[in-house]
Amino acid sequence: DQQVKQNSPSLSVQEGRISILNCDYTNSMFDYFLWYKKYPAEGPTFLISISSIKDKNEDGRFTVFLNKSAKHLSLHIVPSQPGDSAVYFCAASALGNQFYFGTGTSLTVIP
Amino acid sequence: GAVVSQHPSWVICKSGTSVKIECRSLDFQATTMFWYRQFPKQSLMLMATSNEGSKATYEQGVEKDKFLINHASLTLSTLTVTSAHPEDSSFYICSAKNGYTFGSGTRLTVV
């Protein structure tokens, strides 16, 4: 049972524009969410997190939005850069326990 | 920041042999380490949780006798794939419990 879903396997965006990656979850107990960036044959690199007490967290070009009622979070990257091209995973956990990962969205930023 | 060092990054082994994967926390004490497995185009799936000084906790469907986990010290957790078969070929990644820090992953190919 996939508790965290990323329904878009891929996304292409022009350099300088906004990239929006989406993530949905089913478990209402999830209280902590993370986004990771991953290159092939490497481990994930942490990007940004958000706890359920917030609905927005911003770090430089990266902003994560959380809509608890819709069980939806999104990652906004603006402006997008070619170096942002990678696979992005969202992950969620409840009460400090294990993280459940989405299947990833492959982002391509076109120069 | 916290760093987890994972070795080897790539290993090819013959069917029936065993492979050991190591994860070391370099600048912090990891009382708990998560071990994940990722098949191509799929999300990271938690295999087991290793706890320093006690037995690992395995997720449903993961054979504990096949995937031996040892967490003998606060800085080292190991995963041994015993009697490996081609279907064990996958990408294995460890993570500290905080969720922020991942090892670089191990690509296992069983031939």
Side-chain angles (χ1 to χ4, degrees):
Chain A
D1 181 30
Q2 193 73 23
Q3 297 192 47
V4 178
K5 298 178 183 179
Q6 292 174 257
N7 293 319
S8 297
S10 63
L11 174 69
S12 291
V13 172
Q14 205 72 31
E15 181 179 4
R17 307 294 289 268
I18 184 171
S19 295
I20 299 176
L21 298 104
N22 294 303
C23 181
D24 297 291
Y25 60 96
T26 58
N27 189 343
S28 59
M29 296 298 292
F30 286 147
D31 58 7
Y32 199 64
F33 306 87
L34 291 83
W35 281 95
Y36 300 89
K37 179 179 180 179
K38 185 180 182 299
Y39 294 110
E42 291 185 13
T45 302
F46 167 74
L47 276 178
I48 193 168
S49 64
I50 189 167
S51 73
S52 58
I53 62 173
K54 292 186 173 182
D55 53 19
K56 177 182 174 182
N57 189 25
E58 191 172 351
D59 183 2
R61 296 186 298 113
F62 301 92
T63 303
V64 56
F65 295 92
L66 175 62
N67 183 333
K68 290 184 288 294
S69 60
K71 295 191 181 66
H72 177 85
L73 67 156
S74 60
L75 174 68
H76 292 209
I77 307 173
V78 56
S80 301
Q81 300 173 355
D84 296 330
S85 297
V87 178
Y88 290 78
F89 289 92
C90 61
S93 75
L95 305 174
N97 292 317
Q98 67 169 97
F99 282 90
Y100 293 87
F101 288 80
T103 50
T105 297
S106 178
L107 172 66
T108 302
V109 180
I110 304 165
Chain B
V3 176
V4 173
S5 175
Q6 182 172 348
H7 295 280
S9 57
W10 198 294
V11 58
I12 301 174
C13 70
K14 288 185 177 180
S15 185
T17 61
S18 297
V19 174
K20 179 186 282 189
I21 302 169
E22 292 188 350
C23 272
R24 293 182 184 274
S25 56
L26 297 187
D27 51 2
F28 67 102
Q29 293 182 332
T31 55
T32 300
M33 196 82 81
F34 292 130
W35 285 94
Y36 294 89
R37 180 176 182 176
Q38 183 188 23
F39 291 106
K41 298 185 180 180
Q42 294 188 25
S43 63
L44 286 83
M45 299 297 294
L46 181 67
M47 297 175 64
T49 303
S50 76
N51 301 293
E52 187 269 335
S54 63
K55 290 183 179 181
T57 304
Y58 290 82
E59 296 301 301
Q60 190 174 11
V62 178
E63 299 175 58
K64 62 180 181 180
D65 294 330
K66 180 168 185 62
F67 299 99
L68 300 178
I69 289 175
N70 185 282
H71 198 146
S73 76
L74 287 170
T75 59
L76 176 64
S77 177
T78 62
L79 167 68
T80 301
V81 183
T82 63
S83 186
H85 288 97
E87 58 265 30
D88 298 324
S89 299
S90 187
F91 192 59
Y92 295 86
I93 308 175
C94 61
S95 167
K97 186 180 181 182
N98 62 16
Y100 294 110
T101 309
F102 282 81
S104 53
T106 298
R107 171 74 62 193
L108 171 63
T109 302
V110 184
V111 298

